Amino acid sequence: MSSGERVYTLIAELTYRCPLRCPYCSNPLDYQERKDALATSDWLRVLTEAEALGALQVTLTGGEPLLRDDLEALVAHARSLELYVTLITSGVPLERPRLAALRDAGLNAVQVSIQAPSADESDRLAGTRSFEHKLEVMRWVKELGLPLTLNAVLHRQNLGSVPQIIALAEQLSADRLELANTQYLGWALVNRDALLPGEAELALARNAASLAKARLKGRMEVLFVLPDYYSDRPKACMNGWGQRYLVVTPDGQALPCHLAHTISGLEFQNVREHSLAEIWQSSPGFMAFRGEAWLPEPCKSCDQRQLDFGGCRCQAFQLTGDARATDPVCSLSPQHGIVQAARLVAKAPSDLVPLRYRGSRQNVATPKP
């Protein structure tokens, strides 16, 4: 491991349990078979070891992290280590007294998601009634003096509502608005034909976000994340494999990204059996795609290889069956046709394709490219 590779952010996936059923969920398709195996003492040790590796912040997420009874204890310990603590939540199980207790324990910031700017659409996409309570939770966040990020995962079925989402964020006095287009992995890949937008509607939404970013500068940060499928070059997934981020799953696996354990043939170690330092510095899973030595052509000769590191390994695996392949979203990839074919589907008539919701036990196999 070179000196440039250090942990900056620990992503603590505390549980895969969640009251929502979002059809773009980033949890693994078999999440129901993966249990919460880490006790409070395990998570406290993980936090301590992450800070010792250089971590500056921890993101508490899931599933729904509020379903953990020990959340306050984890927040308090993270703050005692001087980590910046962000809670990513659906908001559904939260009540104001508990939010106040989390703030008093040291919580630094809260991110709440909505699925659309109206109750009917948001509740339909979430698979459960939740919108009105989400709004109430976001008001509590502001009343209690915590920074608020409103997150909306964008896709074909809500992209036209970006102006209304921006207006809602302004009404709620959000400090940050994250308009993050769906990344087509996990459940989102299963539902890609129903979710992937066309280029024209994406351009309109992007323009609306750009105008809002300029207008709201100094009052609210507006972030618009393009879907990989409409980029000529891939993003550096997680700022590069094993470069900055460390994910710990509910069953204790330590990963370089959320879905790395879906890649066949990689060995990932468990924090119940190994220290974070050992895992980060030398585990087979983290070493597999760290740096440049593993890169294939055309990545090996590309002048952007130190910027994108060949793109997303999980995406390459899920689309091609080969985690070492150039990410197909790259226009230079020999398998870029997979992405081009998906774009053509997005140009089809806008009749809604039936969604397969998180938790469905029927027909959730990853579609063949």
Side-chain angles (χ1 to χ4, degrees), residues 13-270:
E13 293 186 322
L14 300 181
T15 181
Y16 287 138
R17 293 174 292 150
C18 184
L20 305 188
R21 302 181 59 221
C22 304
Y24 49 78
C25 180
S26 63
N27 289 166
L29 299 184
D30 65 347
Y31 76 91
Q32 291 169 316
E33 311 304 320
R34 299 172 181 267
K35 306 304 180 184
D36 298 354
L38 298 188
T40 304
S41 58
D42 293 318
W43 279 115
L44 296 179
R45 177 176 54 80
V46 165
L47 290 166
T48 299
E49 293 180 357
E51 190 278 333
L53 281 171
L56 301 175
Q57 54 191 356
V58 56
T59 299
L60 303 174
T61 183
E64 176 47 68
L66 288 162
L67 296 177
R68 292 276 308 207
D69 294 336
D70 56 0
L71 187 58
E72 289 84 346
L74 301 184
V75 169
H77 185 64
R79 286 301 297 138
S80 74
L81 297 168
E82 299 185 351
L83 294 171
Y84 187 90
V85 187
T86 299
L87 174 67
I88 296 182
T89 176
S90 69
V92 173
L94 187 60
E95 297 298 335
R96 196 178 192 280
R98 191 175 190 197
L99 180 59
L102 288 166
R103 179 203 59 184
D104 294 345
L107 185 64
N108 293 108
V110 179
Q111 175 178 304
V112 182
S113 63
I114 61 166
Q115 284 64 41
S118 67
D120 288 348
E121 277 301 287
S122 188
D123 293 348
R124 178 181 72 84
L125 291 166
T128 189
R129 188 174 180 178
S130 56
F131 181 74
E132 295 298 338
H133 188 64
K134 286 172 178 284
L135 298 188
E136 190 171 28
V137 167
M138 286 187 274
R139 295 187 188 104
W140 295 339
V141 171
K142 294 298 296 184
E143 289 169 7
L144 291 169
L146 288 165
L148 169 66
T149 293
L150 190 158
N151 170 268
V153 177
L154 300 179
H155 45 77
R156 187 175 187 174
Q157 300 195 24
N158 67 4
L159 201 63
S161 300
V162 164
Q164 291 79 16
I165 294 172
I166 293 168
L168 179 60
E170 289 186 76
Q171 292 171 19
L172 293 166
S173 300
D175 299 280
R176 187 171 185 266
L177 172 61
E178 186 176 289
L179 299 164
N181 275 273
T182 302
Q183 300 304 308
Y184 292 95
L185 300 167
W187 289 92
L189 183 57
V190 169
N191 285 295
R192 187 178 63 191
D193 289 352
L195 298 177
L196 184 65
E199 196 165 7
E201 55 193 326
L202 182 64
L204 289 173
R206 189 179 187 183
N207 182 61
S210 179
L211 292 173
K213 182 175 182 177
R215 178 173 59 83
L216 297 170
K217 185 177 181 179
R219 286 194 289 143
M220 182 170 69
E221 180 184 1
V222 179
L223 177 67
F224 187 86
V225 181
L226 275 173
D228 284 358
Y229 280 50
Y230 287 100
S231 301
D232 289 334
R233 295 290 186 272
K235 299 180 181 71
C237 182
M238 308 294 283
N239 288 108
W241 183 278
Q243 299 280 344
R244 294 288 182 268
Y245 290 86
L246 196 158
V247 179
V248 176
T249 68
D251 51 7
Q253 283 189 301
L255 309 170
C257 68
H258 298 80
L259 287 173
H261 48 38
T262 65
I263 299 177
S264 299
L266 288 187
E267 177 188 347
F268 292 105
Q269 295 174 329
N270 197 292

Side-chain angles (χ1 to χ4, degrees), residues 300-316:
K300 188 180 291 291
S301 303
C302 181
D303 60 6
Q304 296 192 46
R305 65 186 181 278
Q306 293 183 339
L307 299 177
D308 61 35
F309 304 99
C312 177
R313 295 303 88 218
C314 299
Q315 190 156 251

